[in-house]
Amino acid sequence: MNIVALSKRLISPRFSNPVSLHGINDALAETVVSGRKPILGFYGRSFHHLRKVGNYVAPRVFFVSSRFRNLSTNSSSSSSKQPAFLRWYLRKLESNPFMTKSITTSLIYMAADLTSQMITMQPSGSYDLIRTARMASFGLVFLGPCQHVWFSYLSRILPNRDVLTTFKKIMMGQALFGPFSNTVFYSYNAALQGETSEEILARLKRDLVPTLRNGLLYWPLCDFVTFKYVPVHLQPLMNSSCAYIWTIYLTYMANQTKADS
């Protein structure tokens, strides 16, 4: 094709619109970056045919592909700057979220109970490791799995992160998840200590309402930060981290003397 014929084709209405050329370049850039097979181009012309037209496509493709390479490089470099333990934990969350969250909650409950015992221990006392095992097993068997299901459920029915939606999640937690989890916690701990059903009911009457009332002073702020700013797959970890302080109080309450039935 001679120069005159090529010029006529380049200034034809089909190729004179810069927007169209940008669209063609963007589509070709996406094809190059994603590695997909070339598709038929815009306006019924294949990319193979467009390559014959001129050099309008190639420079923009090189620019876009370079930009994507830079983004990939920056992403990998920022990931490499994370601590090794954090990278390992995030990989475990992705590969086995259920078990990872359960074990994490169990460890946090174990640490919280040891801290609670250390605060209230008499000078001549010693750690009650059976009590600590009860707390750790509650986090592993019940609370960890329940948190995984609860936060995933909330993210499905209320996916937005605006303030109104966040307050809806907080109210649902205070009205549903909090009373349920605390009831199971007191009942589970009392049953493992050998208390009868009458004694468990008496303990719930004595301890449950004060626990829920005190929870209203602590959990709404924690839940707001969790629901508003923390990704869904890290929300159980954030919740359990907040629960460390709360569990120090909770384990103290759960291991008080039996209530009068």
Side-chain angles (χ1 to χ4, degrees), residues 161 224-238:
R161 287 178 177 268
F224 182 84
V225 175
T226 300
F227 290 128
K228 179 69 175 174
Y229 301 108
V230 180
V232 175
H233 70 290
L234 293 178
Q235 286 178 358
L237 175 61
M238 177 66 180

Side-chain angles (χ1 to χ4, degrees), residues 23-250:
I24 293 170
N25 283 298
D26 290 339
L28 183 54
E30 182 182 355
T31 303
V32 172
V33 173
S34 62
R36 293 180 299 187
K37 294 182 179 180
I39 58 175
L40 286 181
F42 300 148
Y43 312 112
R45 301 177 68 87
S46 68
F47 286 124
H48 175 74
H49 187 75
L50 289 173
R51 266 200 314 270
K52 299 178 181 180
V53 175
N55 294 326
Y56 285 88
V57 173
R60 186 172 173 84
V61 170
F62 293 146
F63 171 76
V64 175
S65 61
S66 300
R67 182 176 59 186
F68 274 88
R69 283 199 303 271
N70 292 335
L71 288 176
S72 176
T73 303
N74 293 337
S75 176
S76 60
S77 61
S78 62
S79 176
S80 64
K81 292 179 181 179
Q82 294 175 343
F85 176 78
L86 179 58
R87 295 200 304 270
W88 172 83
Y89 184 79
L90 292 176
R91 287 198 301 269
K92 289 297 182 182
L93 270 181
E94 184 177 357
S95 61
N96 197 346
F98 189 85
M99 184 56 67
T100 301
K101 294 171 185 178
S102 299
I103 294 175
T104 301
T105 305
S106 176
L107 293 175
I108 291 174
Y109 261 64
M110 180 176 66
D113 181 69
L114 291 173
T115 305
S116 177
Q117 290 190 51
M118 182 176 63
I119 293 173
T120 59
M121 186 185 301
Q122 299 297 326
S124 59
S126 60
Y127 286 104
D128 185 352
L129 297 182
I130 296 178
R131 164 182 158 175
T132 302
R134 288 198 304 267
M135 299 299 103
S137 66
F138 174 77
L140 179 67
V141 174
F142 174 78
L143 190 60
C146 283
Q147 284 183 339
H148 173 75
V149 174
W150 175 251
F151 287 110
S152 298
Y153 172 73
L154 285 183
S155 68
R156 286 199 306 271
I157 64 172
L158 298 170
N160 297 328
R161 287 178 177 268
D162 57 278
V163 175
L164 179 59
T165 303
T166 300
F167 276 113
K168 289 180 181 179
K169 294 177 182 178
I170 293 173
M171 288 188 291
M172 290 182 65
Q174 293 298 314
L176 300 176
F177 187 76
F180 174 69
S181 62
N182 284 309
T183 300
V184 175
F185 174 77
Y186 282 126
S187 302
Y188 175 87
N189 185 71
L192 290 183
Q193 293 183 79
E195 295 185 15
T196 64
S197 57
E198 290 79 9
E199 290 171 333
I200 293 174
L201 288 175
R203 179 182 289 275
L204 291 175
K205 290 179 182 179
R206 184 191 68 182
D207 297 339
L208 184 59
V209 173
T211 299
L212 296 177
R213 184 172 59 244
N214 291 330
L216 288 173
L217 303 176
Y218 178 76
W219 279 110
L221 179 59
C222 296
D223 287 343
F224 182 84
V225 175
T226 300
F227 290 128
K228 179 69 175 174
Y229 301 108
V230 180
V232 175
H233 70 290
L234 293 178
Q235 286 178 358
L237 175 61
M238 177 66 180
N239 186 265
S240 296
S241 299
C242 294
Y244 173 77
I245 298 175
W246 175 250
T247 306
I248 294 174
Y249 161 77
L250 203 61

